[in-house]
Each structure stands twice: as structure tokens, then as C-alpha cells.
Amino acid sequence: MNPNRTVGILGGGQLARMLAMAAADLGFNTHIYCPDRDCPAAQVANKVVFGNYADDKNLADFAKNIDVLTYEFENIETKALDELEKIVVIRPSIKSLKISQDRFTEKSYLNSIDIKTTQFYKIDEVSDIGKLLIKVKKPLLLKTRRLGYDGKGQVLIKTSNDIKKHFQGNKPSSLIAEEVINFDRELSVIIVRDQEGNIKTFEPGENVHENGILKTTTLPSLIDNKLKNNAKQIAKKIVDNLNYIGVMGVEFFLKEHELFVNEIAPRVHNSGHWTMDGSYSSQFQQHIRAIMDLPLISTERHSDIVMYNLIGKLTNDLVSSELAKVYIYGKKDSRPGRKMGHVNLIKKKGS
Ligand code: AMP
């Protein structure tokens, strides 16, 4: 093992912060590239390069001083990465990023490998929405193809009046329309794959969202083991098919014993934060291990656990609970909907 190596991360938010801390535990250095001088990861990294993601020259200089480049968010122009790939190893691959950063490409890809998603349609013109509404006779969830996260850029359309209200006078950029699914539960699987194709999967967690933002992840989920295994097998199929290296988060809707993939994230994922305290390894450590060619370790869960996101203002109630592990991201400004930290509330397994 040669710890004297450096991980580079594009993005300086809380995911980069927790990745940098996991990298430090394994003896690696971390360099962060981000535009924001107050970014959460800057407080814990060895070096921070402040720059714009479109600044090719700055990015190239950044890449020259690192051994492996990874990223904490999907919305990176892959044109810039194509240049960086000539200088440095990028993990997960640019291909995985390209697929997941566009909802239409993502869902088309999943269907192409026989993985079920919600029914979806490409929207190029406002008139497409009205025609579709007449055809499917069901409410539609309109989502931006790119740059959407935490429910941002999503509009529910039930009637032609809704179309007028939200789209009159503006030409939509690329959108998809999804049929609304009345799911019973939301689940996610955090999976990691290394260069040799070894795979470890964390137990599926059960997620609750509020206004499109993840509120809690609970382990164990009450769904039966067969469904848990099905979810893991679907996640495995995706990472194998992509020849993927690193951690991926796969989000599912469960409806009447059927699993639909909602989203894949080619990175560590908010619904995997429970692993920091509920499992023998965390998703952050596994990601660093995978991209730095260290062996993957046990993903077994040792405790029952609920992860609570601290959204908007920080409050004291959860933070001062006896069995709470608290993570505050060090963001200067709070605002509604902003993830400020999370708390893992631990219960002994089966208690
Ligand atoms: P997304 O940005 O696609 O991850 O959506 C955020 C959340 O909105 C999901 O976790 C669901 O709770 C809800 N949602 C998204 N798409 C659908 C859908 N087609 N039907 C019902 N709920 C959805």
C-alpha cells in the first residue's frame, strides 16, 4: 500500500468533505477543485483550487498534481473531463457520468438493459405536453433533463391549465415527462465496484422524501429479503454493465412488489450516510478504496439506524440526543431546503 498519493475531487460540498475525511483515514491527500471559497470540503482538505468548472487551463493544472480524479456531483461538462482524462485517471468513468447526468439518457439506458423505470417521454416543445396529457390521461411529472436535483426543476401537470401556468410564454429547455407512480415505498442501494470487478453492496435503506428532498433513511427496511436481494441484483447489473469503479447510489420506487429505478448517481449518495455509523464500513471509505485500488471491505450492517437530514436551519433537538452521531457540514449560510448536516440515530441491532 502506498498512501502517499492524492485524490482530486471536483466539487467541494458535503460529499467531498466526507470523502476527504475518509481519504485522510487511509493516509491519502485530498485536493479539492470548486468555485466557492467557503465550500464545506475546504475546511478538511490538503489543498483547494478555486476555479470555474469551465476553466480548462485551471482544471488541467489541478489534474497535474493528483493521482486519481473523482467527483461529488453529476452536472459537470464532460467536454472538460475528456481533456482531463488525457492527464489523469478519472473514476467513475466519464461514460457513467454522461448517462446519469441526463434523465432521458439515464432512463433509456436502464430500459436498454431491461431495468424497469417509470414510464417517461421526451419533451421538446410545450405543445408536446398537452398532446401527451390527452394521450396518457394521467398526471405527469415534468423534470428538467439536466441540472435537476432534490426535486428542483420539477412540475406536476394534471390539467391543461397547469401547462399554461408553468410553461406559457417560455420555451422549455429539454424536459422529460414521467408518469406519476403511487409508490408504496422508496428504497436505495449503495453499491461499490472495484477495477477487478469485485462488488460489495450495502443493505437497501428505506427513504422518505419531503418536497423532493431526502428527509430520512431507515435501516432495516421492513420489505422482505427477496425484494432486498432483487434491488441489490439490479444495482449489480448496472455497475457490471458500466464496468463501473467506485460507489454508486441507485434509487428505487417499490410498488406492489415491483421495483422501478428512479435514478442512478455515479457517486456517494445522501441515502448512504447511514453507513458511517450503521455498518462496518462507510460508503466514503469504500469509494476511496475502490478508486485508489485498495481492497473493498465488509458492508455488513451492525446496527439499526435512522439518518435524519438537517435541512434549512440547524436545530438542537436531534443534535443533543444520546445516541446521535452528528455531522455538520460547515456551511456559512442556511436557507430553506439547504442540507446543513445530518444525524445518524443509532439503535442496537434488533433492539
Ligand atoms: P428525483 O429528483 O427524480 O429524485 O425526485 C425526487 C423525489 O420526487 C423522489 O424521490 C420521489 O419522492 C418524487 N418523485 C420523482 N419522480 C416521481 C414519479 N415519477 N412519481 C412519483 N414520485 C416521484
Side-chain angles (χ1 to χ4, degrees), residues 103 141 143 154 178-181 183 186 209 262-263:
R103 291 182 197 273
L141 198 56
K143 301 182 180 179
Q154 298 192 8
E178 283 180 29
E179 290 185 15
V180 175
I181 178 163
F183 52 79
E186 288 191 86
H209 289 81
N262 176 37
E263 211 165 40

Side-chain angles (χ1 to χ4, degrees), residues 103 106-107 118-119 140-141 143 148-152 154 156 177-183 186 207-214 251-253 262-263 269:
R103 291 182 197 273
E106 176 183 58
K107 288 188 161 65
T118 51
Q119 201 61 45
L140 295 167
L141 198 56
K143 301 182 180 179
Y149 66 99
D150 286 346
K152 288 188 175 66
Q154 298 192 8
L156 181 66
E178 283 180 29
E179 290 185 15
V180 175
I181 178 163
N182 291 319
F183 52 79
E186 288 191 86
N207 300 324
V208 174
H209 289 81
E210 204 172 79
N211 302 322
I213 305 175
L214 182 68
E251 290 188 274
F252 295 89
F253 297 136
N262 176 37
E263 211 165 40
H269 193 258

